[in-house]
Amino acid sequence: MKVQDDNPITRLPPAPLMLGVVAACIVSIGLVWLVGQQSVVALAYGGALIAILLMLLLAARLKTDPAETQMLQPDWSVTSAAIETRHRAIAIVDRANRLVCANSTYEGWFDGISAPYELAMDPASREAASEAARSAWRDGRAEVPVVRLSSGDMEYRLRIERSGRGEAYLVWRFDEIRTQRSYDGLSERLAGPLGEVLSRAGVEVALVAPDGIVQTTTPGLAERATGHRENAVGGLEFVQLLRSDDRDRIFFAREGQQGSPQTLIHVPLDIPNASKMSDADETPSIMLLLDSTVGIGGGWESTGKAAIPQLEALLSALPLGLALTDRDGRFLFANKAFLRAVERETSGLPQFPSDLVVREDKAAMADTVRRFAKGATASGDMAVRLGNNKDEPVSIGLAGVRGLGDAAVLLSISDSSEEKRLRRQVAQATKMQAVGQLAGGVAHDFNNVLTAIIGYCDLMLLRHTPGDSDYDDIQQIKANSNRAASLTRQLLAFSRQQTLRPVVLQLPDVVSEVSQLLKRLMGEKIEFSVRHDRELGSVRADPQQLEQVIINLAVNARDAMQAYASKRGKQDWKGRLTLATRRVSARDVRKMGIDIMPADDYTVMIVQDTGGGIPDEHLNKIFEPFFTTKEQGKGTGLGLSTVYGIVKQSNGFIFADNVQGPDGTPIGARFTVYLPVHKGELPAIMRADEPEEQKASEWSAGGKLLLVEDEDMVRAVAERALVRAGYTVTTASDGEEGLGIVANGDTQFDLIVSDVVMPAMDGPAMARAIRNVRAHVPILFMSGYAEEQLRNEIDIENMYFIPKPFSVQQINAKVAEVLSAQRK
């Protein structure tokens, strides 16, 4: 480190250099005298030369290296951090009595950043402080025992010390003088070893501020109140830590009635100035909690009730759901497993066991408990239905107990909540799979009907022109048929049998493309906002289908918010739709404990509304096709089922739940879509270009076609369409007939157009057999199922596909496209 040197001698040039400069000056003066032969000129020249040398030396002395100058300046930010403390006000002044640095305590105590000389002290304190400052400049340090401000009752002890490079600064230190109180230091002792000793003895202590806020507690109280042994209750209200039952017994709120009852003792602390009644409201208090089951010597009481806490402690550790009632049938205790089994972990126990069951079982439950409580000791069980789960009966065991004080009946029930949850998940998955297969089959058969209707409409339109009396009617039939075709596509999406064209993409890109459309769909009364996480992983999905997912969820949320406002009779209402993307790691998935979702990295999309939420009885049905809560004629029930199918076909997961308000009531619904992060190599173009609209081919050379279709109406309309396009068409009603035509005939077909699902021999089996006879003939399959599914199941080269339903123009264009590709 460089240090500034103020000695002018050390700042002069080295002695040899100075001697050389002087010698040079003398020689130059002698040369001037020899040349001019005038002493006056030589003396003037020498004087000027000496003046120049003196100026250069002075400049060298005053010159300072910029880096060295920067090092000489104090870094007050470091100094400010070093003097930061909550218990002492510190200020630093220079020789001009200017404040150059102060900590935050100084600013807080004295309401600003004025220099110590400018503080509003009383006359005696100001004179003492000024004398101490002069002494500190002279002697290095000084002290004032008491300094008082003009306003306020606070007193301070002042210490001043000279410091800094060249001792050019004074450091002022103010220490607050407090009156000793009985509870000073109590907070630290309660949180330390003293608190540990009290907790082990069954005595819990809390230091509570006048406003009821907990300042500190013993470690045992913190653990019983929050589950954490460190002081985790600081800042909470003391009354929130406790609860009382109908017999005014006090328990820890976290433990409930299965915990031991407590005796509460309030100890008010001393008042600094008893003459001031206002001080009583500013003094904290001590709250003592004594375990009612602990005697003076630390042992259990000798009464009959003493066995209950011991028994409760034992029952709480058992995994079997157990509860105790008294002779009147009132609940005394229930362990956590029992509360889980009856699904009352948050609401707690009711007063009687009969309050747990449905109305039809209440009388039988009450009579059985009363009989076991007052009769001879016996045991048995009974089947009942719980009030919150009326569909599945459970078996409750009962046993009479004696010699345990008030305890008279022991109830037992198996905690089958996890088993029930898994059973519901399996049943839901099985049902969704069965409904999906049914929906796919219905869609496939319905597509055959729609193909015929649309095809005949196209053929009729060829004979009519706009303005004819039947033209508009035919157009209306075709429009309704196309609408029905869109419904079948939704059914195929739900059954995961539609054709997807997945690409690697970023989810925010898809959201941004539909954002403007969503804003128009939401209207002016719904606020639409979008939030994205950073560093989201890319996903592999069909962008058009993802846009359909977003639109369906948004429209569903809009309708829910409108219905919720109408139900409450509000005309001037406002809603909010939030769409957010997040990244979820495999570790986060493992923490969530979702068994059906593998632990992997996901990109998540969340759609949340303020529509009042989804009723609990509908949560397990909302993704089923044709299920809707809307009025008749206002919904098909396929919006969410389509979303479900698209997400599942994209290897993702979707969950629906309700968002709770501050009072615990649902304020809106939330749909969460999990899409697995793509782990493969990212392509140069993340998203594929939109496919161009299919155009009719220029092919006009005709050709010989074999049309194989088991549905007579589909075969007829396809034959008429292809014949009108100039093709020679031979038809067959099933796969065996088609194979016979190819194998036994001499006709060389240019293309085989075949249905996939047919009786006896289906399309793929016929195609493989034909390939043994005609190895290179192309095959065009017609099907209502997904192209991707067919290609995975049918391994045939030179195969093409057209989805049902199709129009006359579409079948002609597809055949022309295939034949054109074969001639290239």
Side-chain angles (χ1 to χ4, degrees):
M1 178 183 295
K2 294 182 180 180
V3 181
Q4 181 178 4
D5 190 352
D6 295 329
N7 189 347
I9 298 177
T10 59
R11 299 189 61 85
L12 292 175
L17 180 59
M18 292 182 65
L19 293 175
V21 172
V22 172
C25 292
I26 294 172
V27 171
S28 61
I29 292 172
L31 291 175
V32 171
W33 181 78
L34 291 175
V35 173
Q37 294 296 323
Q38 293 183 6
S39 302
V40 177
V41 175
L43 290 175
Y45 172 80
L49 190 60
I50 292 173
I52 293 174
L53 290 175
L54 290 175
M55 292 176 63
L56 292 175
L57 289 174
L58 180 61
R61 181 176 182 270
L62 296 177
K63 184 179 179 182
T64 304
D65 184 32
E68 184 178 355
T69 302
Q70 185 177 2
M71 294 177 62
L72 294 174
Q73 296 296 328
D75 189 352
W76 295 115
S77 63
V78 177
T79 305
S80 177
I83 64 176
E84 193 64 38
T85 175
R86 292 188 305 166
H87 307 292
R88 179 176 297 144
I90 302 176
I92 302 175
V93 299
D94 59 11
R95 288 191 176 275
N97 294 326
R98 293 173 301 188
L99 180 68
V100 296
C101 185
N103 63 4
S104 58
T105 306
Y106 181 91
E107 298 177 14
W109 284 4
F110 304 122
D111 299 328
I113 54 174
S114 301
Y117 296 95
E118 300 173 1
L119 297 180
M121 304 179 189
D122 61 22
S125 298
R126 181 177 298 277
E127 179 62 27
S130 300
E131 180 60 29
R134 289 191 291 269
S135 299
W137 282 121
R138 183 180 62 250
D139 303 328
R141 63 179 64 244
E143 183 173 341
V144 180
V146 179
V147 173
R148 298 181 181 88
L149 298 183
S150 300
S151 59
D153 299 331
M154 295 304 300
E155 298 178 345
Y156 304 91
R157 185 176 54 151
L158 173 61
R159 289 181 296 164
I160 307 176
E161 185 177 353
R162 190 177 62 204
S163 182
R165 183 182 291 109
E167 297 184 338
Y169 300 94
L170 285 185
V171 180
W172 294 59
R173 293 181 174 89
F174 294 85
D175 292 298
E176 188 177 9
I177 301 175
R178 288 180 172 270
T179 303
Q180 186 65 26
R181 298 167 299 189
S182 61
Y183 53 87
D184 283 341
L186 180 60
S187 178
E188 291 78 9
R189 289 196 291 271
L190 286 179
L194 176 62
E196 294 284 357
V197 173
L198 292 174
S199 295
R200 286 196 297 268
V203 179
E204 304 297 352
V205 184
L207 183 63
V208 182
D211 57 356
I213 302 299
V214 178
Q215 294 181 343
T216 188
T217 67
T218 53
L221 191 150
E223 183 176 14
R224 297 184 69 175
T226 65
H228 302 287
R229 195 157 185 81
E230 52 271 7
N231 188 20
V233 296
L236 300 179
E237 291 188 18
F238 181 74
V239 295
Q240 294 180 350
L241 309 180
L242 305 175
R243 59 173 291 187
S244 61
D245 61 3
D246 53 353
R247 288 182 284 178
D248 293 330
R249 295 183 303 173
I250 298 175
F251 299 86
F252 282 99
R254 178 175 173 271
E255 297 176 351
Q257 294 186 9
Q258 68 252 33
S260 56
Q262 305 291 312
T263 300
L264 176 63
I265 302 174
H266 176 211
V267 182
L269 296 173
D270 59 354
I271 302 172
N273 189 350
S275 63
K276 296 183 179 180
M277 297 306 296
S278 60
D279 290 341
D281 296 333
E282 301 175 0
T283 306
S285 302
I286 287 180
M287 298 295 183
L288 294 176
L289 288 170
L290 305 178
D291 198 327
S292 299
T293 60
V294 178
I296 298 176
W300 297 100
E301 296 176 355
S302 58
T303 63
K305 298 180 181 179
I308 295 180
Q310 300 182 49
L311 181 62
E312 291 178 356
L314 174 62
L315 299 182
S316 297
L318 297 178
L320 178 65
L322 298 170
L324 289 171
T325 70
D326 59 14
R327 295 183 182 277
D328 296 328
R330 292 186 178 89
F331 271 119
L332 293 174
F333 161 81
N335 63 5
K336 294 180 180 179
F338 188 92
L339 294 175
R340 282 196 304 269
V342 298
E343 299 181 3
R344 295 182 69 93
E345 291 180 280
T346 56
S347 57
L349 282 174
Q351 191 172 9
F352 296 97
S354 57
D355 296 333
L356 296 174
V357 300
V358 297
R359 181 169 54 85
E360 294 81 3
D361 295 339
K362 285 183 179 293
M365 186 71 183
D367 292 341
T368 304
V369 172
R370 191 178 305 110
R371 184 175 70 252
F372 277 92
K374 297 183 178 181
T377 57
S379 62
D381 54 21
M382 64 181 302
V384 295
R385 289 170 297 167
L386 299 177
N388 50 13
N389 190 3
K390 302 177 181 180
D391 298 332
E392 299 182 10
V394 298
S395 178
I396 294 182
L398 299 98
V401 295
R402 300 294 181 269
L404 295 177
D406 292 339
V409 179
L410 176 67
L411 289 82
S412 62
I413 184 174
S414 298
D415 180 12
S416 58
S417 56
E418 184 67 18
E419 180 183 350
K420 292 178 183 177
R421 185 180 67 83
L422 294 176
R423 191 185 304 124
R424 285 195 296 265
Q425 285 184 355
V426 172
Q428 179 71 6
T430 303
K431 179 173 65 176
M432 296 293 280
Q433 182 179 3
V435 173
Q437 292 176 348
L438 175 63
V442 170
H444 176 264
D445 293 339
F446 199 44
N447 277 335
N448 283 330
V449 179
L450 292 175
T451 300
I453 296 174
I454 294 174
Y456 280 117
C457 286
D458 289 337
L459 293 175
M460 294 174 65
L461 289 173
L462 294 175
R463 301 193 301 271
H464 294 77
T465 58
D468 291 351
S469 58
D470 296 333
Y471 184 85
D472 292 338
D473 295 336
I474 298 172
Q475 285 284 26
Q476 189 65 33
I477 295 173
K478 184 177 180 181
N480 289 325
S481 299
N482 288 327
R483 181 184 176 189
S486 67
L487 294 178
T488 62
R489 283 194 294 270
Q490 289 181 313
L491 286 174
L492 288 174
F494 166 72
S495 60
R496 288 170 263 170
Q497 295 175 1
Q498 66 171 340
T499 300
L500 294 183
R501 294 176 176 84
V503 296
V504 179
L505 50 83
Q506 285 287 347
L507 198 54
D509 296 340
V510 181
V511 174
S512 65
E513 292 196 10
V514 297
S515 294
Q516 295 300 323
L517 174 61
L518 292 181
K519 290 180 180 178
R520 292 195 297 269
L521 289 175
M522 293 302 101
E524 297 179 354
K525 292 187 176 182
I526 298 177
E527 176 187 352
F528 176 64
S529 61
V530 179
R531 296 194 304 267
H532 296 301
D533 259 4
R534 295 181 178 180
E535 300 179 359
L536 293 173
S538 56
V539 299
R540 188 175 185 272
D542 188 325
Q544 291 183 340
Q545 297 299 327
L546 282 185
E547 291 176 0
Q548 187 66 41
V549 167
I550 297 172
I551 292 173
N552 284 10
L553 291 177
V555 170
N556 186 73
R558 179 200 63 187
D559 296 342
M561 287 185 279
Q562 291 176 348
Y564 184 59
S566 176
K567 182 179 179 181
R568 294 188 298 170
K570 290 190 175 183
Q571 299 297 329
D572 187 17
W573 60 276
K574 292 291 184 181
R576 185 172 65 255
L577 177 67
T578 304
L579 197 156
T581 56
R582 291 177 49 203
R583 53 189 179 93
V584 176
S585 64
R587 182 175 60 182
D588 297 331
V589 174
R590 283 190 287 267
K591 289 181 180 179
M592 289 188 290
I594 303 178
D595 298 332
I596 61 174
M597 191 166 70
D600 201 353
D601 295 334
Y602 292 89
T603 294
V604 180
M605 180 178 66
I606 303 172
V607 179
Q608 181 174 322
D609 61 57
T610 57
I614 305 171
D616 294 338
E617 62 271 17
H618 295 161
L619 271 175
N620 292 331
K621 302 177 182 178
I622 56 174
F623 293 120
E624 297 178 6
F626 308 117
F627 176 81
T628 180
T629 57
K630 299 177 182 178
E631 298 179 9
Q632 186 174 3
K634 291 189 177 181
T636 63
L638 290 175
L640 291 179
S641 62
T642 302
V643 169
Y644 176 86
I646 294 173
V647 172
K648 297 298 290 185
Q649 196 171 358
S650 303
N651 298 322
F653 301 88
I654 182 170
F655 301 98
D657 64 340
N658 288 325
V659 181
Q660 306 295 331
D663 56 351
T665 59
I667 60 174
R670 174 173 53 203
F671 289 85
T672 308
V673 178
Y674 292 82
L675 295 176
V677 173
H678 179 67
K679 298 296 181 61
E681 184 178 355
L682 298 181
I685 301 178
M686 298 289 289
R687 177 169 177 171
D689 295 334
E690 297 293 337
E692 295 182 359
E693 185 178 356
Q694 186 178 14
K695 299 179 180 179
S697 173
E698 299 297 333
W699 174 263
S700 58
K704 297 179 180 180
L705 310 180
L706 174 62
L707 176 63
V708 186
E709 171 62 61
D710 62 312
E711 289 286 345
D712 296 339
M713 51 186 177
V714 178
R715 184 173 66 253
V717 71
E719 180 184 8
R720 289 183 58 182
L722 294 172
V723 168
R724 289 182 64 91
Y727 300 104
T728 302
V729 181
T730 303
T731 61
S733 59
D734 55 39
E736 293 180 345
E737 182 180 355
L739 176 61
I741 293 175
V742 174
N744 301 326
D746 297 331
T747 304
Q748 298 291 330
F749 292 105
D750 299 308
L751 176 65
I752 297 175
V753 182
S754 173
D755 190 15
V756 176
V757 180
M758 293 182 293
M761 178 180 286
D762 60 11
M766 179 199 70
R768 294 188 184 95
I770 289 177
R771 284 292 173 84
N772 294 330
V773 181
R774 300 284 188 270
H776 303 293
V777 60
I779 299 174
L780 174 61
F781 282 119
M782 307 176 293
S783 178
Y785 291 107
E787 176 183 358
E788 183 178 3
Q789 179 183 358
L790 291 177
R791 290 191 180 278
N792 292 335
E793 296 177 357
I794 306 173
D795 185 15
I796 300 177
E797 295 182 358
N798 205 9
M799 180 187 75
Y800 300 89
F801 177 84
I802 182 172
K804 294 180 180 179
F806 49 77
S807 64
V808 170
Q809 293 81 5
Q810 288 173 333
I811 184 66
N812 289 337
K814 189 64 179 181
V815 170
E817 176 188 344
V818 174
L819 292 177
S820 177
Q822 297 298 314
R823 298 298 173 89
K824 290 182 180 179

